[in-house]
Amino acid sequence: MKIRVHLILLVSIFMLSCAQKQNSTEKQLPKKKRVTAKDILGNPEYLAISYGGYRKATRDIQPTIEELKEDMKILHAMGIRLLRTYNVQLAHASNILKAIQELRKDNPEFEMYVMLGAWIDCKNAWTGNPVDHNVESEQNEGEIGRAVALANQYPEIVKIIAVGNEAMVKWATSYFVQPWVILKWVNHLQNLKKEGKLDKDLWITSSDNFASWGGGSNEYHVEDLNKLIAAVDFISMHTYPMHDTHYNPRFWGVAQSEDSLTNIEKIEEAMLRSRRYAESQYHGVERYMKSIGVDKPIHIGETGWASYSNEHYGNPGSKATDEYKEALFYKHMRDWTAKEGMSCFYFEAFDEIWKDANNPGGSENHFGLFTIDGKAKYALWNLVDQGVFKGLTRGGNAIEKTYDGNKEALLIEVSMPPTKKELVITP
């Protein structure tokens, strides 16, 4: 009997000791911090990118969950941790969230977050009927409702909601709305946060052209814009120097003072001016924001440079588009925004051919850092060399370099920007 009692006592002491050690270990292990938009935006550890996973010439063919997972793994490997989507009308955004959730379940260390876009239109947009820019579409309410539902369904993934995409800029003649429409829905979402119907740490913004945020002409400087700037958690600003190589090429071209430079040096100078042009648009928004007594973060909600165009930006036009210039611009924007503590939702991850389905050579089809079949464009060749994409595929294709990695072959297709005197600059 004594032996049995001693054994029970020893087992009890052993179990108590193990429990104490386990509790001690649990106290020593730091709990994984819940990541918020405030932690992510401007953090160089959380690179951002604009993402559409469409692989066909129509959005009627939605990417499968497995195809989305393929893309998530590729982007994660290159350090992307924050995606921007554009609408919740189709299954695409919800499927992205589901794909991320499944990847997180398989691997708790997999980290990917989303700025969820809610598309906003004016009355009769895309219908063939005369549009009314002073009245909003009846579809907007449902779009906001779907965004709220997804944010609540995936609170660990959706960290930002963006109300509208280039929805206020006046050149978006097919669908733009007045600032009061965006303000209405931003205030609605902010109120849901106050009422506990949305995560209090969810950030709300609108993603729009620099001019729409006050960085352009005075026609945008209206009271509703001022109220909107005060209402959002941060400004998501678009800047596209590539487009202005055609529409406003004051910064573009080869100056007479650069005649003695090599061709590559001339191109590098032109791309450096493109970066400064983007910076000037940012500072225009910053100045306007501060002039109305507001001081909050500004992040680059969209910027990019196409690798090909058979129209305004290619060889028939400003000679801006090729993989070499795209790579220079990508590096410049990443360097600048990292230095300034800003996020940059670079446009875009993969080429998408539905955007200009009737013209395969249109620039809108060629903004990706990867081709449709998963080839890494010149901007990412260094990552291929580093083995970052080893074992990853897109559509069954290993991630390899464009041009078979032959830089000389790539450079043959690089065009010199025109000289300043050849450019037609509109007032």
Side-chain angles (χ1 to χ4, degrees), residues 301-349:
E302 201 175 290
T303 192
W305 198 280
S307 60
Y308 182 77
S309 172
N310 61 5
E311 298 175 312
H312 294 321
Y313 320 109
N315 285 344
S318 60
K319 297 178 171 58
T321 52
D322 54 64
E323 283 193 32
Y324 187 75
K325 299 189 190 84
E326 177 192 45
L328 290 176
F329 187 72
Y330 179 71
K331 184 177 186 306
H332 280 319
M333 294 305 286
R334 287 294 189 209
D335 288 348
W336 168 51
T337 53
K339 179 182 175 184
E340 296 297 327
M342 294 189 292
S343 285
C344 175
F345 291 85
Y346 195 83
F347 188 86
E348 65 178 332

Side-chain angles (χ1 to χ4, degrees), residues 248-283:
N248 186 23
R250 296 177 185 279
F251 66 96
W252 190 239
V254 178
Q256 188 173 355
S257 61
E258 297 169 347
D259 283 347
S260 61
L261 300 179
T262 67
N263 286 347
I264 289 295
E265 288 171 338
K266 290 173 182 176
I267 291 170
E268 288 174 348
E269 286 297 313
M271 296 312 297
L272 185 58
R273 285 195 297 275
S274 299
R275 165 183 162 164
R276 291 171 181 155
Y277 185 75
E279 291 179 24
S280 72
Q281 293 184 338
Y282 163 83
H283 288 302

